[in-house]
Amino acid sequence: MAEIRQATMFDISAIQACDLLCFPDEDPWDYFLYEEYIVFWPRLVYVAEDSVTGCIVGYVFAQVDGEGTENHGYIANLCVVPTHRKQGIAKELMDASQNALVQEYGSEYVSLHIRTTTLADIPEIAACDLVCFPSEDSSVCFSFFNDSILSPLKVVFVAEYGGRIVGYVVSMKLEEEDEAEEAAAEEEEDIQGYIDYLGVHPTCRKLGIAAKLMTAAQNALVQEYGCDCVYLHVRQSNYAAIDLYIKILGYIFHDTIAKFYVDGEDAYVMRKQLPGKQPDHLVLGFSHGGGCFWSKANAELLGLLDRLEIC
């Protein structure tokens, strides 16, 4: 268990240590930047303190962007140490900052950016990927993302949250001669897409980021390649991902492939029929209460996205 409280100047050293545990490959913020946030946004900086040891095991730094009634919140930094993840601490920290943003500043949403990638993003994407999947080879990881970004048949999106890349998705159009397409196709005339890879940093799971990345990828498959449907593979033991795909994103079970993964685990093949071409929506955000803010033009999607609670 952890207690959520406002941060003070005396917490900065512990916050820096926490930061290094969460992001060992990155330099922590400068001491004076932590200090600046606590001075200028004292009601928007929270820490999670272990109720037994008294150690700081997580934190969130938020700020207000914009002016007057046009302001919105921004999460500058969010972290929970590996030993205390999957306990709901990240959500409690987010709830505390979101409540303060609403009550103190009248903010309507907290920004999260989903955007296409560039080659300059590869080191940060790879670092995130190796946290998500630590058994992977780093050189293979770099090569995969490099080839994916350069491929004319793939689109790669990243999620930027708290000033860092915290998630990514790789989608692709299946070519006619692709064996995976032959195995998955229901109708020969369908132009088919495939979700090749999806990951969200452990610190930022259960905040709806995976669903937003998937939505961006699906939209790109429609807009860029005219895809009629999309397929993906998922481990049979990955219940959280299966819930996301079925309950929130509308996928259905299509097939099962025995021993699909290197360790011998079977995979479900899942399929979703895609709608017609839709407007781009690459800038997303959380509203107070964990829902999702979209532009007015995309308001019809709110009924789906207000239920983001799995990843």
Side-chain angles (χ1 to χ4, degrees), residues 48-256:
E49 193 172 71
D50 187 288
S51 56
V52 176
T53 66
C55 296
I56 289 176
V57 296
Y59 60 81
V60 63
F61 283 72
Q63 67 183 64
V64 176
D65 286 343
E67 297 180 357
T69 58
E70 302 297 323
N71 80 73
H72 66 275
Y74 174 70
I75 303 299
N77 210 340
L78 172 68
C79 170
V80 177
V81 297
T83 54
H84 286 68
R85 290 172 186 167
K86 297 187 177 181
Q87 298 179 24
I89 295 174
K91 184 179 185 304
E92 289 183 40
L93 287 165
M94 282 295 300
D95 287 345
S97 62
Q98 289 181 151
N99 289 336
L101 283 164
V102 171
Q103 295 168 8
E104 298 293 326
Y105 302 99
S107 298
E108 294 186 357
Y109 67 95
V110 181
S111 60
L112 162 74
H113 295 283
I114 307 291
R115 63 170 176 82
T116 53
T117 57
T118 68
L119 293 175
D121 294 321
I122 292 177
E124 196 170 353
I125 298 172
C128 181
D129 183 62
L130 291 172
V131 174
C132 296
F133 307 102
S135 62
E136 292 188 356
D137 183 276
S138 59
S139 61
V140 173
C141 177
F142 269 79
S143 177
F144 170 77
F145 286 109
N146 182 80
D147 294 345
S148 296
I149 292 170
L150 294 176
S151 171
L153 295 176
K154 293 187 177 184
V155 179
V156 184
F157 288 94
V158 293
E160 286 186 320
Y161 194 52
R164 293 184 171 97
I165 289 176
V166 297
Y168 50 83
V169 63
V170 180
S171 61
M172 62 185 290
K173 176 189 175 185
L174 292 175
E175 297 183 282
E176 291 183 3
E177 64 273 16
D178 197 308
E179 293 181 2
E181 179 188 26
E182 293 178 6
E186 282 188 354
E187 299 179 1
E188 292 183 359
E189 62 268 23
D190 279 350
I191 301 175
Q192 299 172 5
Y194 180 69
I195 303 298
D196 197 14
Y197 210 50
L198 172 69
V200 175
H201 195 285
T203 299
C204 296
R205 291 175 184 166
K206 297 186 182 294
L207 297 175
I209 295 174
K212 295 178 179 67
L213 285 165
M214 286 288 292
T215 301
Q218 292 165 177
N219 289 337
L221 289 171
V222 173
Q223 295 165 3
E224 299 294 327
Y225 307 114
C227 291
D228 301 298
C229 59
V230 59
Y231 293 87
L232 57 82
H233 293 91
V234 60
R235 288 178 178 270
Q236 290 187 336
S237 62
N238 194 345
Y239 304 117
I242 292 169
D243 278 350
L244 167 71
Y245 299 142
I246 295 175
K247 295 181 181 179
I248 294 179
L249 295 172
Y251 281 76
I252 60 173
F253 289 111
H254 180 75
D255 200 357
T256 302

Side-chain angles (χ1 to χ4, degrees), residues 12 241 272 310:
I12 293 178
K272 178 179 180 176
I310 304 298

Side-chain angles (χ1 to χ4, degrees), residues 15-36:
I15 292 171
Q16 283 183 310
C18 186
D19 198 6
L20 287 170
L21 285 173
C22 293
F23 307 101
D25 297 325
E26 299 181 19
D27 292 330
W29 280 5
D30 183 86
Y31 180 94
F32 296 104
L33 185 54
Y34 292 111
E35 186 179 66
E36 182 178 315

